[in-house]
Amino acid sequence: MRLILKLLREGSGRILIFLDWLIKPRVVQRSSEKQLQVDNQTESLKLYEFYACPFCIKTRRAIKRLNLKLETRNAQQGDFRKELELNGGKVQVPCLRIDYAGEVSWLYESDDIINYLEKHF
């Protein structure tokens, strides 16, 4: 039963990825100077994700729409998963790591992440 649920979740995620590729969001346009400023600000942000997670796809789509350059980290397994669990407190994606003025905070939930990004960018 667990395997079936995993396959359904992965399969539906792949369908969403295809639809995301097929239907591109309208991208925010900025002057080159403003875009450079935004790019510099986003250097301190890292998105921990699973590739086919529907909530991660939703978050990546918002990032594309907002024309942000964020580093994404695959937390499915390996070092980024350990880092997320140790420093963020749990393995839940999407998770936005915000490093601001030497303070690191971890923001979970796709809607909260999208609201944060829309407010700041």
Side-chain angles (χ1 to χ4, degrees), residues 57-107:
I57 295 166
K58 175 183 174 180
T59 305
R60 287 194 309 265
R61 189 168 175 82
I63 290 168
K64 286 179 199 171
R65 180 178 48 79
L66 293 169
N67 200 9
L68 304 176
K69 292 179 178 63
L70 263 80
E71 178 184 336
T72 58
R73 295 181 169 181
N74 183 354
Q76 199 91 29
Q77 55 190 321
D79 291 340
F80 291 138
R81 182 183 186 92
K82 292 175 191 170
E83 185 178 315
L84 178 59
E85 186 172 18
L86 285 173
N87 300 315
K90 56 186 171 181
V91 177
Q92 178 185 326
V93 292
C95 179
L96 184 66
R97 180 183 186 266
I98 305 165
D99 189 349
Y100 181 73
E103 296 275 328
V104 176
S105 58
W106 300 80
L107 183 60

Side-chain angles (χ1 to χ4, degrees), residues 1-9:
M1 185 62 159
R2 192 178 224 179
L3 179 63
I4 292 171
L5 288 175
K6 184 176 181 178
L7 289 173
L8 284 173
R9 188 172 41 240

Side-chain angles (χ1 to χ4, degrees), residues 103-116:
E103 296 275 328
V104 176
S105 58
W106 300 80
L107 183 60
Y108 292 91
E109 301 296 333
S110 57
D111 288 337
D112 293 340
I113 293 169
I114 293 167
N115 288 336
Y116 173 87

Side-chain angles (χ1 to χ4, degrees), residues 45-59:
L45 303 176
K46 312 292 185 254
L47 181 70
Y48 291 77
E49 63 168 1
F50 295 167
Y51 180 69
C53 163
F55 299 104
C56 297
I57 295 166
K58 175 183 174 180
T59 305

